[in-house]
Amino acid sequence: MTTLQTAIGAQAGSERQLPATTPAVSAKTWLAVSGATLGAFMAVLNIQIVNASLANIQGGIGAGIDDGGWISTSYLIAEIVVIPLSGWLAQVFSVRIYLLTNAFLFLAFSAACALAQNLPQMIVLRAVQGFTGGVLIPMAFTLIITLLPKAKQPIGLAMFAISATFAPAIGPTIGGYLTENFGWEYVFYVNIVPGAIMITMLYASLEAAPMQLRLLREGDWAGIATMAIGLAALQTVLEEGNKDDWFGSPFIVRLAIVAVVALTLFLVIELAAKKPLLNLRILFRRNFGFGVLANFLLGVSLYGSVYVLPVYLSRIQGYNSEQIGMVLAWTGLPQLVLIPLVPRLMQRLDPRLVIGVGFVLFGGSNFLNIYMTNDYAADQLFWPNVIRALGQALVFAPLSAVATSGIEAENAGSASALFNMMRNLGGAIGIAALQTLLTKREQYHSNVLTQSVSMFEQATRTRLDQLTQYFMSHGVIDRIDAVHHAYVAIGKVVQKQAFILAFSDTFFLLGVSQIVALLAALMLTKPGRIEAGGGH
């Protein structure tokens, strides 16, 4: 029995002694799971809630457009580094102390971010907020698959799905509303009340256990160092690569080399170590390996679509933060209706069928957006967003249940870290790919459209004449200036159309990613049947 298992064993002991056919879960255990999943929800929410208000935050602290991206990047780097560490650190400090300490620090640094006066302060505070908040995600997942009996895990995983899929979708809605009505500071202050509730729930429900500080001497420090360096370098490459022209930048080249070398060493160390930080061998188990792959691709589309839609609505339709949030609300709200029903579906249907339908709906929602036009706005996005919400709600809980079926308690920390880290990494890679695709496809479509807008075409000459007359009748006296304004206006129309076509291409890529995820899901084997009231 591992130290993590010992730390929570006292709490789960009563359930283990009950007959397997009638597992009972104490109110204290549900309180612990609920508090942990609330923390995971807040941690994920704080990625997207800030992105929706980034322009306002940049203005408030005097950050430039290019440098302001580090407000999000610093949080993401710290979060993705700490997720794999959490299982081991929970053994060292005990689940109770580790979770409560990080929950309190997350709350404190959330409030501190609202008081930042400049960019360096904000970057440091966001990094610490991400490092403490990142703990809450895998620990919630670990408690679900360790404390709850198999028959009750679908309920816990459905609760966790609200943090994994609903939080990214609803983040821009909350962030946009708070920013437009109260100010950007409130995207950080909003954590205080639910954070206090979370801490109270965890304090009342988690059993005390002794710390195991001796494990610090036995730690896989080589694995920790190479993982932290590799993931931090990789995340920075993904966040900054498109802006710096990828490998045209010496900085990006150097960081990419660091990431490849460090992560390669990490893999070698983990596979050779007697007590590795992460047990990577569980990736060779069929269900977990294909489940992680499907989850990675889910992250590509989940975070990618939350990135693409606000950029489209802002750049093409001129929406403000609150309007964008209202559009994206329909990618989240239907999930609140469907997610509680998913455990019932898993009892009555093969979970793999539920997963497959979910990926079909999610992929289909992206394909519905591949023929965008100048008038493609909130009304046209409504049904694709609703279908996407239904797909996301159907995928996560059954995918998590099938992937982690058969995972032993001693491997729960590794499974949780790998499953959650790969989803976040999928999101980072997806966003980087979409940024590059958007830039390249806009250039391609602009070149194609420009060739069509030729002075040899009568339609072009007619439109130039019409615009020239328009500008001369609206205050432009000199005809040469009016002609120049006409050329500029046509150029803007061409560029806008090129961007619309490029956005259509990004949704096609997102749809394809879900087809591949569906193929990975088809490789899953059926776990033991999940009974309605007990047994597995």
Side-chain angles (χ1 to χ4, degrees), residues 107 186 246 311 340 345 348 359 393 400 473 479 503 510 514 533:
L107 203 59
Y186 282 83
W246 292 103
V311 175
L345 290 176
R348 289 164 171 76
F359 277 128
S400 304
S473 64
R479 182 174 177 82
F503 278 111
L510 291 172
Q514 296 313 283

Side-chain angles (χ1 to χ4, degrees), residues 233-234 237 246-247 249-261:
L234 177 60
V237 167
W246 292 103
F247 298 114
S249 163
F251 172 70
I252 295 297
V253 170
R254 287 193 294 268
L255 270 185
I257 293 172
V258 170
V260 169
V261 172

Side-chain angles (χ1 to χ4, degrees), residues 225-242:
T226 52
M227 180 214 66
I229 294 170
L231 287 178
L234 177 60
Q235 184 73 33
T236 305
V237 167
L238 294 172
E239 290 290 322
E240 299 295 309
N242 188 60

Side-chain angles (χ1 to χ4, degrees), residues 271-323:
L271 291 173
K274 292 182 179 179
K275 294 183 179 180
L277 175 68
L278 297 177
N279 181 8
L280 299 183
R281 290 180 175 82
I282 60 175
L283 288 170
F284 297 108
R285 300 183 186 182
R286 179 169 174 170
N287 272 12
F288 189 73
F290 282 111
V292 166
L293 175 59
N295 194 44
F296 172 86
L297 293 164
L298 174 66
V300 169
S301 199
L302 175 65
Y303 288 100
S305 52
V306 174
Y307 162 76
V308 168
L309 278 173
V311 175
Y312 169 79
L313 291 169
S314 174
R315 184 176 297 178
I316 303 301
Q317 302 299 337
Y319 282 26
N320 62 29
S321 297
E322 187 172 4
Q323 291 171 317

